[in-house]
Amino acid sequence: MSVDVRIDQGRLSRFLRLRGGVVERSLAARARRVVAIAKAEAPGSMPDYIDFRIVEGAKGLEAVITCDHPATRYVLDGTRPHIILPRRAKALRFDVGGDIVFAQLVRHPGTRPNNFMTRALRQGR
């Protein structure tokens, strides 16, 4: 008695790439791990803006991790020293140690880059 087994590579790869299939579940688990690391590394309120989605890419399924916070670029790339001027008022108002302080301009020293997304991708592999 003989048995023939035929493996159709096209059908097998389509089966693996199906939505809700093995590959998508594995990819989603890895993306959730990266998002958790990114949320732990992100400063301030940025963790609330980090999320992921699974999309169809040119070579199959891809996980896209995004941070939609308005200041994301400034945190990732850092900023150079700059001057901050008031927009609608004549002075800037700050609370310093319980005292209210007014200033006509502020010389901001800039910020160092904090590339928390790249660190999360590397750690979450």
Side-chain angles (χ1 to χ4, degrees), residues 53-69:
R53 66 185 185 283
I54 307 291
V55 297
E56 285 281 339
K59 296 182 180 181
L61 296 176
E62 297 176 352
V64 178
I65 301 169
T66 58
C67 181
D68 294 332
H69 192 277

Side-chain angles (χ1 to χ4, degrees), residues 22-103:
V22 176
V23 173
E24 183 179 13
R25 288 194 308 264
S26 173
L27 186 60
R30 181 173 285 184
R32 275 192 288 278
R33 186 169 57 235
V34 171
V35 165
I37 295 169
K39 286 183 175 189
E41 298 269 334
S45 64
M46 279 193 191
D48 299 337
Y49 293 87
I50 300 173
D51 201 8
F52 80 96
R53 66 185 185 283
I54 307 291
V55 297
E56 285 281 339
K59 296 182 180 181
L61 296 176
E62 297 176 352
V64 178
I65 301 169
T66 58
C67 181
D68 294 332
H69 192 277
T72 302
R73 286 279 17 131
Y74 302 118
V75 171
L76 295 177
D77 296 336
T79 60
R80 296 171 60 181
H82 56 280
I83 294 176
I84 301 173
L85 297 170
R87 286 187 166 191
R88 293 184 268 297
K90 293 184 179 181
L92 298 167
R93 179 180 176 205
F94 299 98
D95 181 14
V96 178
D99 295 331
I100 303 296
V101 177
F102 294 94

